[in-house]
Amino acid sequence: MNERMPSPRPMALFGHRGARGLLPENTLEGFASIAALDLTGAEFDVGLTADGVAVVHHDPRLNPDIARDADGAWLAPDAAPLLRERTLADLGSFDVGRLRPGSDYAARYPEQTPADGARIPTLDAVIAALSGRDLLIEVKTFPDRPGLTVPPERIAQAVIACLNRHDALDRAVLFAFDWRVLRAAAAAPALRRCCLTEPETVSAGPLWLDGCDLGAFGGNLPRAVAATGAVCWAPFHATLEEDDVREAHALGLAVLPWTVNAPEAFDRMIRLGVDGMISDRPDLARAAIGRAGLQVAGPGFVAAMAR
């Protein structure tokens, strides 16, 4: 079956973890690039500290490939503390502004500009820094390793409270691979929800999908996503096919694949007619969108989603 021609409507573009191909991930320094690149918004990850503060960091533990202690020493992988074990004040002593030299991570992002002195920010600070931009907020919980984080309900409640403080519910979407988070967030009907999927979580079935049996949907992921009440589906880009996009759109779902970084992947997603892309290199994604004769959607993309 031939891939369809691109839609003439603007395409949303979100910097992944800020824009980690360009600047340190999940830092205020990185989020400053979102406005500079004139993106729709940013995608980032949230966990909860020992004293109940929502902070923006990808891993349940401090990442030893980006974290240095107060003496400037890189953390040993077997000594990286869990976020849930440290207070916000404790976390403030760690520098997350540079990739560890010689690491595989540094090799993946050779063009990242360091920002020494960057700290793990609070969710409140990130929402304020991204004023006016759309927010894709991924809650990190692990049903296969529940001890890594606090329960999904607690993190969802903390995120909702932050968004309410900033009157930002209408420009945010809550993302999760662990679909229990999305059920917990349904307590705030104004907050849009998005189901993240990747082959590993889908193959594990009900464990990650909040008890969902895909067999009941004929193995059709978009139908299972729509049944949760989510308004958006975020699949791993390499797994996405034309029929998936068509089915999702027929169900009223926006499609936002992650993490789209390579030229051929940009072009393929555009041909498939996705609604937007999440990318570590939004500068390159923007160029690809322009070459296709499309524009990047401005902030307000989220508010226009169905509820």
Side-chain angles (χ1 to χ4, degrees):
M1 184 178 292
N2 293 328
E3 292 174 321
R4 57 187 172 143
M5 296 299 291
S7 165
R9 68 182 182 276
M11 177 170 286
L13 181 56
F14 297 90
H16 182 239
R17 306 190 199 177
R20 69 170 171 170
L22 301 172
L23 288 157
E25 67 169 65
N26 286 332
T27 62
L28 294 181
E29 291 79 357
F31 292 122
S33 69
I34 301 301
L37 291 167
D38 196 20
L39 305 182
T40 312
E43 184 273 352
F44 52 89
D45 313 277
V46 174
L48 213 61
T49 67
D51 47 347
V53 180
V55 293
V56 175
H57 190 69
H58 179 265
D59 304 302
R61 297 183 182 277
L62 287 176
N63 184 344
D65 282 342
I66 65 173
R68 289 170 285 165
D69 66 20
D71 296 322
W74 293 98
L75 295 188
D78 59 356
L82 292 170
L83 296 182
R84 68 173 300 178
E85 296 174 342
R86 294 298 185 102
T87 65
L88 178 62
D90 291 337
L91 290 177
S93 66
F94 294 95
D95 188 326
V96 291
R98 179 180 290 269
L99 296 171
R100 181 195 290 263
S103 66
D104 289 344
Y105 200 169
R108 287 171 62 193
Y109 300 105
E111 296 183 51
Q112 186 188 103
T113 299
D116 292 323
R119 296 299 191 252
I120 294 173
T122 64
L123 177 57
D124 280 305
V126 171
I127 294 171
L130 291 169
S131 177
R133 301 284 162 175
D134 288 0
L135 312 170
L136 307 186
I137 303 174
E138 182 182 346
V139 168
K140 308 296 289 192
T141 53
F142 304 85
D144 56 339
R145 292 164 291 164
L148 292 180
T149 70
V150 302
E153 296 79 10
R154 282 191 59 196
I155 303 184
Q157 289 165 4
V159 170
I160 291 166
C162 283
L163 290 169
N164 278 323
R165 281 196 294 274
H166 294 269
D167 193 24
L169 278 175
D170 203 43
R171 60 184 176 100
V173 183
L174 194 74
F175 279 54
F177 287 105
D178 179 359
W179 291 7
R180 295 177 303 164
V181 173
L182 306 178
R183 174 163 49 86
L191 178 59
R192 294 166 176 84
R193 293 168 289 146
C194 180
C195 294
L196 276 159
T197 60
E198 64 179 347
E200 291 80 4
T201 59
V202 171
S203 65
L207 178 65
W208 283 88
L209 310 186
D210 193 24
C212 173
D213 177 7
L214 284 178
F217 299 93
N220 187 297
L221 258 179
R223 292 178 191 170
V225 169
T228 69
V231 300
C232 178
W233 175 37
F236 176 48
H237 73 89
T239 66
L240 195 59
E241 300 295 342
E242 180 184 5
D243 287 346
D244 299 322
V245 177
R246 180 183 296 110
E247 178 76 10
H249 284 165
L251 293 164
L253 297 171
V255 181
L256 294 177
W258 60 273
T259 303
V260 192
N261 291 335
E264 61 274 15
F266 297 139
D267 294 342
R268 182 171 178 269
M269 293 301 100
I270 292 167
R271 289 196 302 272
L272 289 180
V274 300
D275 299 282
M277 293 185 283
I278 302 167
S279 179
D280 292 320
R281 290 297 304 268
D283 55 331
L284 301 181
R286 171 179 276 283
I289 291 169
R291 287 194 301 271
L294 301 175
Q295 293 183 332
V296 171
F301 170 81
V302 165
M305 283 184 183
R307 255 207 277 250

